[in-house]
Amino acid sequence: MRRRGFRAKGFCIVLLFVATTGALDAMAHGAAMPDLESQYSKARRQYQRLLNQLQDPQSQALFRKNIETFQEIIRQDAKQQLTDRCLFMIAQSHHRLHDVLKSEHDYRQALAFYKRLALRFPQSPLADDALFLSGILLEAKEPAEAYLEFSRLCVLFPQGDWTPKARQKAEALASALSGTASIGPSAPSLTAAEDGKAKPGGKGASSDQGAKTAPGRSTAPMSLKEPKVTVEKIRHWSGDDYTRVAVYLSGPVRYSRSEFPADPEKKQPQRIVLELERCGVGPSIKPMIPIMNGFLRDVRLKASSDEKTQVIVDLQSVESYRVFSLADPSRVVIDVQGKKKPTSQATAQPTTPTASPPAPTAKPVLQKGMPSIVEQLGLTVRRIVIDPGHGGKDKGAIGPGGVYEKDITLAVAKELKKVLEKEGGYEVFLTRNTDRYLSLEERTAIANTKKADLFISIHTNAHEDSNLGGIETYFLNFSKDKESARLAALENATSAKHISDLEAILNELLRHTKINESSRLAREIHQGMMRGLEAHPNLRDLGVKQAPFYVLLGAQMPSVLIEACFISNPQEERLLKQPQFQRALAKAISKGIRSYRDRLAHVSRLGEDA
């Protein structure tokens, strides 16, 4: 009895100790939170007090000291109850300093903190404010980036307070980017472009006769205050009937583009000419880069005395081309489609005309042994390009255990290559075999130059809510839901997409000839993954979705992007690290590809039974 009483008494003491400790912790937390609140309120009052005194250097120093106060509150805010508000105030502070001092540092810091707020706290009432103010900040210096911020706001916050104003801003910028208005701090009024009176095109990029200046491209000179940029390097990727040329620059430029027909008298080939405003040529760049792939001859650089540089693409046989620009790094991309001229045509000698041969008798469209309608439509599956997302300096998402997305995607891609080659007999290429950085335009160019039948980009998902998990598969199109738009914004952030030829990019999304096949491929692969991973019942099926992923833009074959689990979920991060799960995932994806191929095989072959 005594022993039992002692135990009961001891148990009560322990309970009392736990309760007391909990109460003290609660009291400490309760005391800490009001203290942070008071610090935040005090810092806000200091911000307001100094706001109208920023011309004074002493006030500027105090203003920067106040930014440190907000940063210290973030460090102490374990439950992140004030973090979104502090991020907003830090961004606002740098924004105000930039307005007064025109400081590049404050400009970049303001954008960085607005972006951090929008990505980390998408549910915050300040997230749409951050996107809108990012657009306002970008509007004068980087109008295409501003357009993206305003458009992103409209997608993510369709009912937001700023959405009507953001939509107006986006529409005005779209008109300016695809019209003839000059954009910049000293730009003239946009009224002419907005009311439809402005003439598209104008003079070509060169004084050559016969040039056709592409509509929708401004040729207005840049402000003299804008810094001169240089061409730093030129890269190209070529296939049998496709070449992508990327002109890398030290900064963003305005450009016009023109087409010139061949001039036999001057021995000049057909050519595309880009004229880059206020642009020079770096010292290490060769003035001519030979390509000689049968339809595209070379790329030449020609600097002029008025601080303009022409990029001249000499053609031999071209069917179509497309020009657009990207940022981070700044570059102008030229996609050229063509056909090689047969050698016999080039060397054939003129002969005496002869009578026309008799017309051949009519034959069936397809005979036995001829390619099926599936093959004629380019729907065969023999060659596959797998794209391990991210790589090199671009780590992708980072799991709570420190696992990098770039490492997981490469491991899964290598396993998938082994499975496809062994079990399916496919010819498989990886966009990268090692931990190296690849730009988005290079990934798609590899698939196009390899003339791949399928393009599969592998990623892992991430979210600030570590409890979220599951698998989803995407194909290229506009987002239909907020979460898809969020993910596309996150994946696309590495490219900092800079749309200078807005309508061409958007039209490609709308007219993408492989959207239907890509959606079918996405469904088959997704179903294959879910069936093949039934041993992991906790993996949620998030379905097949669509979103404008830039890595899929320009792919000339059915293409999908796989988000294989959430690396931000601790349980799924552990799964992704396991080699046996990586193999199971690869086999599941291959089953989906095989199912897609089998579906195509059921399309009847015309004329086989004739």
Side-chain angles (χ1 to χ4, degrees):
M1 291 293 292
R2 276 185 181 179
R3 189 173 296 172
R4 185 181 301 172
F6 176 76
R7 284 178 181 174
K9 185 176 179 181
F11 183 64
C12 290
I13 291 171
V14 170
L15 276 179
L16 180 63
F17 175 76
V18 171
T20 306
T21 306
L24 288 172
D25 286 346
M27 287 170 64
H29 176 73
M33 201 57 218
D35 182 56
L36 285 181
E37 287 276 9
S38 62
Q39 287 182 48
Y40 173 77
S41 299
K42 185 178 178 181
R44 265 191 66 93
R45 288 194 296 272
Q46 176 77 332
Y47 167 89
Q48 295 290 348
R49 186 176 67 81
L50 295 170
L51 202 55
N52 295 323
Q53 305 171 28
L54 290 183
Q55 298 292 346
D56 173 30
Q58 188 175 359
S59 295
Q60 292 167 16
L62 291 172
F63 207 62
R64 293 193 187 280
K65 193 73 176 173
N66 202 46
I67 292 175
E68 294 176 10
T69 303
F70 287 119
Q71 290 172 329
E72 181 59 32
I73 294 170
I74 291 174
R75 281 191 285 272
Q76 296 181 40
D77 187 16
K79 293 197 172 183
Q80 298 191 335
Q81 295 179 351
L82 293 168
T83 300
D84 61 331
R85 285 183 273 171
C86 288
L87 288 172
F88 186 75
M89 292 307 301
I90 293 169
Q92 281 269 278
S93 300
H94 283 295
H95 195 157
R96 296 291 190 175
L97 285 167
H98 168 72
D99 287 344
V100 173
L101 303 174
K102 306 303 179 189
S103 158
E104 182 69 16
H105 169 76
D106 288 309
Y107 175 76
R108 293 297 168 193
Q109 285 292 96
L111 288 174
F113 279 97
Y114 281 139
K115 183 176 181 179
R116 192 180 304 177
L117 168 57
L119 285 176
R120 285 183 57 190
F121 299 95
Q123 305 303 322
S124 168
L126 294 169
D128 59 336
D129 299 65
L131 286 174
F132 186 80
L133 289 169
S134 292
I136 293 296
L137 190 57
L138 288 160
E139 197 170 7
K141 295 179 72 172
E142 301 175 71
E145 294 293 329
Y147 168 82
L148 282 177
E149 292 300 287
F150 291 133
S151 298
R152 191 173 289 132
L153 191 157
C154 295
V155 171
L156 296 177
F157 303 96
Q159 307 301 323
D161 295 338
W162 287 111
T163 302
K165 187 70 175 174
R167 189 171 288 112
Q168 291 175 10
K169 289 277 189 185
E171 288 171 357
L173 284 167
S175 298
L177 286 166
S178 60
T180 58
S182 175
I183 300 174
S186 57
S189 169
L190 298 181
T191 306
E194 289 170 352
D195 68 11
K197 293 178 184 176
K199 301 279 185 185
K203 287 187 180 181
S206 170
S207 58
D208 291 26
Q209 295 299 313
K212 292 186 213 173
T213 302
R217 172 61 53 210
S218 170
T219 56
M222 296 178 78
S223 165
L224 294 176
K225 295 180 181 179
E226 296 188 37
K228 183 178 177 180
V229 302
T230 56
V231 177
E232 296 188 326
K233 65 178 177 179
I234 294 179
R235 296 190 64 192
H236 67 90
W237 302 267
S238 292
D240 289 339
D241 55 6
Y242 165 85
T243 294
R244 172 167 284 183
V245 177
V247 181
Y248 290 80
L249 304 145
S250 61
V253 297
R254 292 179 59 81
Y255 65 87
S256 60
R257 70 173 184 267
S258 304
E259 305 167 38
F260 296 88
D263 188 343
E265 291 184 4
K266 295 182 179 180
K267 296 183 179 180
Q268 289 183 333
Q270 180 185 3
R271 58 209 182 281
I272 301 165
V273 177
L274 304 185
E275 187 165 86
L276 312 179
E277 302 282 352
R278 285 193 54 75
C279 180
V281 179
S284 61
I285 299 295
K286 296 178 181 178
M288 189 188 78
I289 296 91
I291 296 177
M292 301 300 291
N293 59 3
F295 68 94
L296 198 154
R297 200 170 78 177
D298 54 47
V299 178
R300 293 181 288 126
L301 291 173
K302 182 180 177 184
S304 63
S305 57
D306 55 352
E307 295 191 321
K308 295 179 181 178
T309 293
Q310 290 184 347
V311 179
I312 304 165
V313 182
D314 289 328
L315 310 168
Q316 289 174 289
S317 175
V318 65
E319 291 185 340
S320 63
Y321 74 97
R322 183 169 73 92
V323 181
F324 57 94
S325 67
L326 305 174
D328 192 24
S330 297
R331 67 264 199 210
V332 180
V333 179
I334 310 164
D335 274 350
V336 182
Q337 291 284 346
K339 285 186 179 178
K340 292 184 179 181
K341 288 184 177 179
T343 308
S344 58
Q345 286 186 6
T347 58
Q349 298 298 321
T351 58
T352 306
T354 58
S356 300
T361 55
K363 292 182 179 179
V365 175
L366 282 177
Q367 299 179 30
K368 276 193 175 182
M370 289 183 67
S372 70
I373 191 69
V374 173
E375 293 170 317
Q376 287 197 12
L377 293 174
L379 301 181
T380 52
V381 183
R382 294 194 187 99
R383 183 177 296 171
I384 300 171
V385 168
I386 302 168
D387 174 45
H390 308 281
K393 65 181 182 180
D394 176 14
K395 299 179 178 66
I398 303 174
V403 177
Y404 295 159
E405 179 182 359
K406 67 174 184 175
D407 296 330
I408 299 299
T409 60
L410 182 58
V412 172
K414 287 181 174 179
E415 287 293 338
L416 180 55
K417 184 177 189 292
K418 288 180 191 174
V419 173
L420 289 172
E421 289 176 337
K422 182 180 178 181
E423 299 180 4
Y426 303 99
E427 187 179 11
V428 183
F429 298 92
L430 300 184
T431 57
R432 63 180 182 95
N433 292 289
T434 58
D435 180 21
R436 70 186 186 97
Y437 174 77
L438 284 178
S439 62
L440 297 186
E441 73 270 13
E442 187 170 358
R443 296 171 191 268
T444 316
I446 290 170
N448 289 342
T449 55
K450 294 291 185 185
K451 301 189 80 170
D453 300 311
L454 301 179
F455 178 65
I456 298 165
S457 190
I458 298 175
H459 293 254
T460 65
N461 216 328
H463 199 278
E464 64 174 7
D465 184 351
S466 61
N467 293 316
L468 290 182
I471 294 175
E472 56 193 359
T473 310
Y474 284 85
F475 62 95
L476 180 70
N477 210 338
F478 289 112
S479 303
K480 281 192 171 182
D481 61 84
K482 186 175 179 179
E483 183 58 23
S484 297
R486 181 200 69 83
L487 182 62
L490 189 65
E491 293 289 359
N492 293 338
T494 59
S495 72
K497 186 77 169 191
H498 181 275
I499 298 179
S500 64
D501 201 348
L502 185 63
E503 290 188 4
I505 299 287
L506 297 182
N507 285 340
E508 179 166 349
L509 273 175
L510 291 170
R511 298 175 183 176
H512 197 264
T513 56
K514 301 293 183 182
I515 279 182
N516 289 337
E517 280 305 311
S518 295
S519 68
R520 292 188 187 99
L521 174 63
R523 284 197 297 272
E524 297 291 350
I525 287 179
H526 189 79
Q527 290 170 9
M529 283 193 294
M530 298 318 299
R531 284 195 297 265
L533 297 173
E534 287 177 347
H536 304 276
N538 292 331
L539 288 178
R540 292 177 58 208
D541 181 353
L542 300 178
V544 175
K545 301 177 181 179
Q546 59 188 59
F549 289 104
Y550 297 141
V551 73
L552 303 181
L553 195 66
Q556 297 169 358
M557 69 292 299
S559 52
V560 299
L561 184 143
I562 296 168
E563 293 285 354
C565 303
F566 279 68
I567 201 170
S568 54
N569 181 307
Q571 290 76 29
E572 294 190 3
E573 180 193 30
R574 285 195 290 272
L575 263 185
L576 288 166
K577 286 169 57 180
Q578 298 172 8
Q580 61 268 34
F581 180 77
Q582 293 169 3
R583 286 192 290 272
L585 178 60
K587 286 184 177 180
I589 295 170
S590 73
K591 285 180 181 178
I593 293 171
R594 189 159 59 248
S595 177
Y596 174 79
R597 181 194 63 185
D598 292 345
R599 185 185 64 78
L600 292 181
H602 285 105
V603 177
S604 61
R605 296 173 64 89
L606 297 179
E608 277 196 342
D609 300 322

